[in-house]
Amino acid sequence: MTTPDPDGLLAEQLLRLTRRVHRIQKRHLQQRVLGITPAQSRLLRTLAEYDAPPRMADLAGRLEVVPRAVTTLVDGLEAHGKVRRVPDPTNRRVIRIELTDDGYATLRELHGARRSAAEEILAPLTDVERRVLGALLDSLVDGGGGEGQC
């Protein structure tokens, strides 16, 4: 007879929750008919975190993806008028990516979709439970200060 693996069960629950969160967020995005993928929405949110338009390499590093993946995402967003490529004012060889007015409007819609999805996901929890969950998730995200520790 095998003994239950509580850590394995927790890991499975976290994976199931992650999949549920992605499904619900995707549905809320589709309901708003923004015409962008979850990966593109992540790029828009990341782009908005910068004080000045970043280079593609900066975005790739922040998103933890290969530069080619950022190029594909930017191509799609640029085709829909959400971002534009602009030359760096100090180095003409460098291209930076900036949000357009339509990109900012889409970002506002994205925030609304994420807020709606979060409300749906967190609906079963009380305010106290939400605060406790937030603290627990912070601990897990921070991982005790170092990634890859054994």
Side-chain angles (χ1 to χ4, degrees):
M1 181 170 200
T2 60
T3 57
D5 177 9
D7 290 340
L9 177 60
L10 283 173
E12 181 59 32
Q13 287 174 304
L14 286 171
L15 290 172
R16 286 177 40 221
L17 176 60
T18 300
R19 286 191 293 266
R20 181 169 184 257
V21 167
H22 283 271
R23 274 193 317 272
I24 290 171
Q25 285 183 342
K26 186 175 181 181
R27 188 180 75 239
H28 281 265
L29 280 175
Q30 290 170 338
Q31 288 171 348
R32 291 182 183 245
V33 193
L34 298 175
I36 61 171
T37 67
Q40 289 172 329
S41 72
R42 183 172 174 235
L43 186 134
L44 287 177
R45 289 191 318 272
T46 301
L47 192 53
E49 294 172 0
Y50 285 90
D51 293 331
R55 299 172 305 135
M56 291 232 217
D58 299 329
L59 287 168
R62 177 89 52 101
L63 293 168
E64 298 178 348
V65 299
V66 296
R68 177 69 189 123
V70 171
T71 300
T72 301
L73 293 171
V74 168
D75 287 347
L77 289 168
E78 188 175 39
H80 288 94
K82 312 290 185 200
V83 302
R84 69 177 145 252
R85 289 173 165 92
V86 294
D88 184 293
T90 61
N91 184 346
R92 291 179 36 199
R93 293 174 296 165
V94 174
I95 298 297
R96 297 192 175 269
I97 308 303
E98 70 179 9
L99 285 163
T100 63
D101 289 342
D102 191 27
Y104 281 110
T106 300
L107 201 52
R108 285 188 295 278
E109 284 291 319
L110 286 171
H111 287 303
R114 287 174 64 92
R115 197 170 24 263
S116 297
E119 288 170 8
E120 180 179 336
I121 292 162
L122 299 172
L125 303 180
T126 66
D127 288 343
V128 171
E129 290 170 328
R130 289 176 189 210
R131 283 193 297 275
V132 169
L133 176 61
L136 292 169
L137 290 173
D138 282 343
S139 294
L140 292 174
V141 169
D142 293 343
E147 285 190 35
Q149 291 180 341
C150 294

